[in-house]
Amino acid sequence: MKKLVLTLILLSPAFVKAQSRLDTLKREWFQQAKESCVQKIASEDLVFKRQEIPAEWSKSSAIILSSYAKYFAYSSKEGYRIGQYSLDRILLRDEYALEDFSSFALDDESYLNVRVIKSDGSVIELDHSREVYGEYIYTNGNTGKSWHYLDNRKIPVPGLEFGDIIEIERYGENIKFNSKGKVIYPTSEEGFFIMRMHESFPILQRTVDFEIGSPFELKWKAMNQAPVLKEVSRNENRITYRLTDGKRKNLKPEYWSTKSSEEPYVKVAFSKAREELKGEILSENKEYDPSWLLPYINEIRKDRELSQSGVALDFAKDNFMGTFKFSGSVARKFYSYYRSECFLNQHSISYEMSDAHFLAILSRVLDKFKVKYEWMAAVPKELGTWKDVVSADEVYLGIRVKQENEIYTEFDPYSTYNELDPSIQGTNAVFIDFQRSEKHPGLRFEELPESGPKDNLLTTTWTLSIDGTRVNAERKNAFTGQSRFSPMEYLPHTLLFDDDYKRLYGKNYALGIVSSHPFIERRDLWDRMEEVADRYWHDDLKYAEKQLTYYFRNRNYGFEDYSFVRLNDPARELGSPELVFTDKMTLNSLLGESDTIKIFHIGRLLGETIYHLDAEDSIRQTGIMMRTPQTVKTVIILKDAAKYSYSGLRYLDTTVENEAGSFSVSHTIHDEQVEIIAIQTFTGQRLGANKWNDVLDLVQCVAETNRKKLLVTKKAEQEKEEIKTTDDGQSKGDKVEEMEGSNDE
């Protein structure tokens, strides 16, 4: 949620003309540069070798007949040459494919050409004169105001037919042009990417070349039986490696799939050699030496641009002057300071919400205050283990403060200390102590803690009262751990960081709000700072209502008259990382009347499920990974037990439990209210495809609960008809039982 600053510039005709000239120069340069790749393809016939299409692909929307790509990184007399070329040929088989390839996005950073090969062999070239612009809408997260402007250049590909072959050619290189039209080559560059062998469509033939020359070196790792790279040519300056593959079917999308970590893929990285720095492994595990990480982290620690940013100096100055009223540890105080300044941008300093930027400045602050700490590095589970790493870009970084044993990871405005991303929980992390020795830092392996379902808890408490055919509802939403990330993007940041400012600056917090907004220029407003700041929060509260109305939209029930009541005061307090907010609304689709009896669709509030599972979803290809272990608890309090009787409560109670998780519903009746509790637990474990039936059992149980109803009658009416039965001889309880056995709504 980075801030976007829109600057209006009056463009003169000369400026527009000059920019257009540079764009044309770049396109022409790309078109000429890619010719060497085209010649390579032609000389080796790498692209279009006719092959028989497997019969099992007959129903595929499209088929990738051939795919060629070339990546290169080397030094030339002009400078570093770093870029890529690709040429794909795709057979279109149905109307979905025709729609998918009916237009292409354009940019000025690469060359694109599209040709359509008709079934009679004729070729239609893409007409660049038909470029069109799409409309981009930017919405300000604070005010809710929107700006519309043209963006996303596209070019249509009209007249596509079944059986057409579409050929897509791209070329890109990391270059720039100066105002005089001279090419500027990069002075330093590194690259890391993952090539997956399966595509959106079946692929018949794939060839990928990697041309690497001094001072770059290539590292790669084939995962899950992916094909390996082989050297195909070598001269004094460059080496070319090649990957060949083919006849790969596409994998259908599946819920909670482990496809990304199970399917065959190749990790590739190229970089310049760094100065070696040798550390001392202090832990018992010495099978792997992660010393190669040390130069990379050293570059972050000693980045000259970061040292000149002044953030650490500003923080130290404010701290020594007693500006902060918060008495927490240095690390916690800086975390609050940096987070609030990132969003409110009080100073002219350029604050960035990036991992390296935050961690580098945090390390400077800790050094300045002589706080003992160590760096942390971990490999996400889906990328393998330390032995599979080919690039520092795969590694998740953090800093652990020793005295408090608190870990601060890559900067995220919604997280707190000791909150580790699920992808690295339970992994074997490396801890690096530069304070021990700059030249020979200590390295230790240590397993990171792993959260359980109770650590990531989402609790929704409904307090309901019946009003005619509508239900008045007050809801308390409580989020802990990873569950907090769900609603965060819909809450304006000023609501979240109000507490940061108040905790840091005490009564002077309003000064930060007012001074951070240049539109507040009238001096009389400065005299009423707290009033202005409070109004600022109030405006954000109203905007939060609009955002949350969208977030909480639900297919199971409709609501109106929504109002955001309050956010808990220490919502962002680092020592209490629970987010709680309360809202009110009127639910207008839960009650239906049948004569004198109200039908209450209570099950629609109990748990979420997947309704669109079909027969194909019962066949599982990949393993199951829900990523975050989580508990979702729903509490419903029916306040009208003194006025109404609720028949069918016992039919709500249910329990199912297996390796994938559990789901249970229970109820209790007190003097004047009924309480219903539903608890849905996801273990977060990685399960094999053979355990998919366990997941389906949970989904089915929740779906059945969603369809359950209660019969509601006023107590006065019930007393008159206590012994009466319905016209067909059934008691009310029997009628509920019959109703709950039906899927009809």
Side-chain angles (χ1 to χ4, degrees):
M1 203 159 48
K2 294 186 179 180
K3 288 189 175 180
L4 177 60
V5 180
L6 297 178
T7 305
L8 298 179
I9 303 175
L10 295 177
L11 300 179
S12 67
F15 179 88
V16 174
K17 186 176 181 180
Q19 186 62 43
S20 176
R21 183 177 66 86
L22 291 178
D23 293 342
T24 302
L25 277 175
K26 181 176 282 191
R27 282 197 294 269
E28 291 175 351
W29 193 92
F30 282 154
Q31 188 168 2
Q32 184 177 358
K34 61 101 176 174
E35 288 305 316
S36 61
C37 299
V38 175
Q39 293 169 10
K40 176 77 172 178
I41 293 172
S43 64
E44 297 191 34
D45 193 18
L46 295 173
V47 174
F48 196 56
K49 294 180 179 178
R50 290 191 175 275
Q51 298 184 46
E52 184 177 347
I53 297 174
E56 61 265 29
W57 295 0
S58 60
K59 294 183 179 180
S60 297
S61 179
I63 295 173
I64 303 173
L65 300 176
S66 64
S67 175
Y68 175 79
K70 178 181 178 179
Y71 299 86
F72 54 90
Y74 55 84
S75 178
S76 69
K77 61 180 181 180
E78 296 91 0
Y80 293 139
R81 301 291 301 273
I82 303 165
Q84 68 179 82
Y85 171 84
S86 65
L87 180 64
D88 300 306
R89 284 186 175 176
I90 304 169
L91 175 63
L92 310 183
R93 305 283 294 275
D94 62 19
E95 63 271 17
Y96 299 107
L98 301 187
E99 183 178 351
D100 284 345
F101 294 96
S102 62
S103 66
F104 287 84
L106 299 171
D107 62 64
D108 297 322
E109 304 303 318
S110 63
Y111 167 86
L112 169 70
N113 193 41
V114 177
R115 288 179 286 270
V116 179
I117 304 172
K118 310 298 283 187
S119 55
D120 61 2
S122 60
V123 178
I124 301 174
E125 296 280 345
L126 187 72
D127 185 359
H128 280 267
S129 67
R130 299 177 58 123
E131 290 181 15
V132 295
Y133 281 84
E135 186 179 50
Y136 180 77
I137 302 175
Y138 163 70
T139 302
N140 185 292
N142 293 327
T143 64
K145 294 180 180 179
S146 297
W147 290 267
H148 297 245
Y149 58 95
L150 296 178
D151 195 12
N152 304 325
R153 288 166 49 217
K154 291 185 177 181
I155 188 165
V157 185
L160 290 177
E161 299 174 314
F162 298 165
D164 285 350
I165 295 173
I166 194 162
E167 184 178 273
I168 308 164
E169 184 182 32
R170 298 181 186 272
Y171 181 90
E173 191 168 340
N174 192 2
I175 61 164
K176 295 181 180 179
F177 283 86
N178 64 18
S179 58
K180 296 181 180 180
K182 183 180 179 181
V183 179
I184 302 174
Y185 294 89
T187 57
S188 178
E189 190 75 30
E190 297 187 355
F192 167 74
F193 55 94
I194 293 175
M195 289 190 305
R196 300 194 179 276
M197 298 299 104
H198 292 277
E199 299 285 355
S200 302
F201 304 109
I203 181 167
L204 203 56
Q205 172 190 343
R206 181 201 299 272
T207 304
V208 185
D209 283 344
F210 299 89
E211 186 178 11
I212 304 296
S214 176
F216 297 98
E217 58 183 5
L218 182 73
K219 294 181 179 179
W220 58 273
K221 179 75 175 182
M223 305 289 289
N224 304 326
Q225 289 77 54
V228 298
L229 276 64
K230 297 179 180 178
E231 182 180 323
V232 293
S233 66
R234 176 190 290 261
N235 57 33
E236 293 181 0
N237 300 317
R238 301 176 207 168
I239 305 174
T240 299
Y241 300 89
R242 177 168 294 170
L243 177 149
T244 55
D245 192 42
K247 292 192 176 179
R248 296 271 185 185
K249 66 179 182 179
N250 60 320
L251 298 178
K252 71 168 187 174
E254 296 179 321
Y255 294 107
W256 306 305
S257 175
T258 56
K259 180 179 72 172
S260 62
S261 58
E262 289 182 357
E263 66 174 316
Y265 64 92
V266 179
K267 298 191 289 186
V268 180
F270 63 85
S271 62
K272 293 193 298 181
R274 285 185 167 91
E275 180 183 354
E276 289 191 7
L277 183 62
K278 194 70 176 176
E280 181 181 352
I281 301 178
L282 305 176
S283 56
E284 294 180 1
N285 183 359
K286 297 187 179 182
E287 295 180 4
Y288 179 81
D289 186 356
S291 292
W292 63 269
L293 266 175
L294 301 181
Y296 169 72
I297 296 178
N298 242 354
E299 287 181 9
I300 297 175
R301 293 173 62 233
K302 298 181 178 181
D303 189 293
R304 295 181 64 183
E305 289 185 11
L306 295 183
S307 65
Q308 295 168 0
S309 68
V311 180
L313 182 63
D314 272 13
F315 172 79
K317 180 182 68 176
D318 284 348
N319 190 71
F320 286 128
M321 291 178 64
T323 305
F324 303 138
K325 308 305 176 186
F326 175 47
S327 59
S329 68
V330 169
R332 289 194 197 180
K333 194 181 296 184
F334 178 73
Y335 197 88
S336 291
Y337 171 82
Y338 192 86
R339 184 171 58 185
S340 57
E341 293 294 346
C342 267
F343 285 91
L344 296 174
N345 201 18
Q346 177 186 355
H347 304 300
S348 59
I349 299 166
S350 174
Y351 287 85
E352 295 182 19
M353 290 189 300
S354 68
D355 49 356
H357 192 279
F358 167 70
L359 293 173
I361 299 176
L362 175 59
S363 70
R364 277 184 176 75
V365 168
L366 298 177
D367 286 336
K368 187 178 291 290
F369 286 87
K370 295 182 170 46
V371 177
K372 292 186 177 181
Y373 69 95
E374 53 192 351
W375 285 76
M376 180 205 77
V379 181
K381 299 170 186 175
E382 58 268 24
L383 294 179
T385 65
W386 280 106
K387 293 182 179 180
D388 301 317
V389 173
V390 299
S391 169
D393 288 338
E394 299 178 70
V395 176
Y396 206 108
L397 293 178
I399 283 178
R400 176 160 66 185
V401 181
K402 290 184 178 180
Q403 183 172 348
E404 289 84 13
N405 194 28
E406 296 172 353
I407 297 177
Y408 295 81
T409 57
E410 298 174 313
F411 183 73
D412 188 296
Y414 307 133
S415 63
T416 65
Y417 66 92
N418 278 351
E419 191 161 277
L420 302 177
D421 189 274
S423 66
I424 63 170
Q425 291 182 15
T427 63
N428 205 20
V430 175
F431 287 88
I432 305 165
D433 188 352
F434 283 98
Q435 291 178 328
R436 174 181 179 270
S437 170
E438 284 281 339
K439 294 184 178 180
H440 301 285
L443 299 99
R444 292 183 304 101
F445 284 96
E446 183 181 321
E447 187 172 304
L448 295 175
E450 197 162 11
S451 65
K454 293 182 180 179
D455 299 312
N456 306 303
L457 177 62
L458 191 166
T459 304
T460 302
T461 303
W462 295 92
T463 302
L464 308 178
S465 60
I466 295 175
D467 180 12
T469 59
R470 306 194 308 173
V471 178
N472 295 326
E474 180 172 305
R475 177 175 57 182
K476 179 182 178 183
N477 309 272
F479 304 82
T480 63
Q482 295 293 320
S483 296
R484 288 202 323 274
F485 287 76
S486 301
M488 283 297 191
E489 62 181 293
Y490 296 96
L491 288 172
H493 58 73
T494 43
L495 284 177
L496 300 175
F497 302 106
D498 177 17
D499 189 62
D500 277 341
Y501 249 72
K502 286 184 177 179
R503 185 169 63 255
L504 283 169
Y505 297 105
K507 293 181 179 179
N508 295 325
Y509 84 98
L511 174 63
I513 307 304
V514 176
S515 62
S516 66
H517 291 277
F519 59 81
I520 303 178
E521 296 177 352
R522 288 169 45 196
R523 299 308 304 173
D524 62 316
L525 294 182
W526 283 83
D527 297 332
R528 295 183 286 113
M529 285 189 299
E530 290 193 30
E531 178 186 337
V532 173
D534 288 341
R535 188 181 69 195
Y536 185 62
W537 302 129
H538 180 266
D539 290 344
D540 272 0
L541 195 67
K542 291 302 179 184
Y543 180 60
E545 289 184 5
K546 297 178 183 178
Q547 293 290 84
L548 290 170
T549 299
Y550 174 80
Y551 170 68
F552 284 120
R553 70 196 189 286
N554 197 294
R555 61 176 175 267
N556 293 329
Y557 54 85
F559 60 84
E560 56 190 33
D561 302 328
Y562 181 85
S563 62
F564 186 94
V565 181
R566 69 184 295 271
L567 187 74
N568 63 316
D569 290 334
R572 309 301 305 139
E573 185 174 348
L574 295 183
S576 176
E578 184 181 47
L579 172 69
V580 181
F581 61 89
T582 308
D583 47 16
K584 291 182 178 180
M585 69 199 76
T586 300
L587 304 175
N588 55 17
S589 59
L590 292 183
L591 278 181
E593 293 217 26
S594 173
D595 297 323
T596 59
I597 301 174
K598 296 180 187 293
I599 302 173
F600 195 166
H601 298 268
I602 193 72
R604 295 180 182 178
L605 298 176
L606 297 171
E608 288 290 326
T609 188
I610 303 170
Y611 281 99
H612 44 281
L613 286 173
D614 52 35
E616 290 186 1
D617 293 313
S618 63
I619 303 172
R620 189 74 180 187
Q621 292 182 337
T622 62
I624 308 151
M625 182 60 179
M626 297 181 183
R627 191 171 185 267
T628 305
Q630 186 181 42
T631 298
V632 180
K633 182 178 181 181
T634 304
V635 179
I636 299 177
I637 300 172
L638 302 173
K639 292 173 57 179
D640 299 324
K643 294 168 54 180
Y644 294 97
S645 290
Y646 299 94
S647 301
L649 286 168
R650 64 190 178 94
Y651 298 103
L652 295 176
D653 294 353
T654 186
T655 300
V656 62
E657 184 174 0
N658 53 46
E659 288 188 50
S662 63
F663 179 71
S664 66
V665 181
S666 61
H667 78 279
T668 57
I669 303 174
H670 302 292
D671 292 338
E672 294 189 354
Q673 69 180 32
V674 175
E675 185 174 277
I676 303 166
I677 299 177
I679 301 176
Q680 192 171 6
T681 299
F682 302 100
T683 61
Q685 296 176 342
R686 185 183 291 264
L687 303 173
N690 61 331
K691 296 296 181 181
W692 180 236
N693 284 337
D694 285 354
V695 177
L696 294 180
D697 288 344
L698 290 176
V699 170
Q700 181 63 26
C701 186
V702 177
E704 290 174 358
T705 300
N706 283 165
R707 292 192 290 267
K708 290 183 178 179
K709 315 171 187 71
L710 298 177
L711 292 185
V712 183
T713 56
K714 285 188 176 180
K715 282 199 169 179
E717 295 175 2
Q718 186 195 32
E719 289 170 1
K720 292 178 184 178
E721 302 183 7
E722 194 170 25
I723 307 177
K724 287 186 179 181
T725 59
T726 58
D727 293 340
D728 59 3
Q730 293 176 307
S731 68
K732 291 178 183 175
D734 293 334
K735 189 174 182 66
V736 172
E737 184 172 16
E738 179 187 90
M739 190 168 57
E740 289 172 345
S742 170
N743 290 339
D744 295 334
E745 292 291 300

